Amino acid sequence: MVSAPDGAWVCVLTTGSHEEGEPGQHILALRSADRGQTWVPAGEIEPATGPEASWAVLLAAPSGRIFVFYIYNADNLRELPADEPPFPGGRTTRMDSHGVYAFRWSEDGGR
């Protein structure tokens, strides 16, 4: 969470409609103008319909620009080699912990 230039709090979170690590996992941004009493959805950073996006971190620059950095399965891979054990057959279909380290920014206070 960071403070926007207008004093609002901006928060990002990883969410999804299924279990952690399953397809549909994505990142949302939220804003609060009342110090966390209420939160307004500011939007999706990556959509639930795209490849997995996870583990976002915010940075507020002195210029007022707000950056979000996150892991993004940009190649939309569906299976990777993994250690056996714990992964049967030495393969995993969990795709939320690899990919590119992506970023986006906001110049409107996280809206």
Side-chain angles (χ1 to χ4, degrees), residues 4 11 39 44-45 71 87 98 108:
C11 175
W39 292 91
E44 294 179 325
I45 295 170
I71 300 297
F87 297 98
H98 78 279
D108 65 0

Side-chain angles (χ1 to χ4, degrees), residues 14-15 19-27 51-56 70-82 87 92-102:
T14 301
T15 188
E19 296 290 322
E20 180 180 333
E22 296 207 4
Q25 186 165 301
H26 62 291
I27 301 167
E52 293 81 356
S54 310
W55 325 124
Y70 56 97
I71 300 297
Y72 183 55
N73 180 13
D75 293 327
N76 202 18
L77 298 176
R78 297 290 103 208
E79 184 178 276
L80 287 171
F87 297 98
T92 182
T93 58
R94 184 170 177 163
M95 299 292 113
D96 65 324
S97 300
H98 78 279
V100 300
Y101 201 51

Side-chain angles (χ1 to χ4, degrees), residues 8 27 38 59 63 66 70 73-74 83 91 101 104-105:
I27 301 167
T38 60
L59 171 72
S63 67
I66 298 172
Y70 56 97
N73 180 13
D83 290 336
R91 307 294 291 173
Y101 201 51
R104 293 183 183 263
W105 69 85

Side-chain angles (χ1 to χ4, degrees), residues 4-10 29-31 33 40-44 66 105-111:
D6 65 358
W9 290 357
V10 178
L30 304 166
R31 277 180 48 95
V40 176
E44 294 179 325
I66 298 172
W105 69 85
S106 168
E107 292 183 332
D108 65 0
R111 288 181 185 88

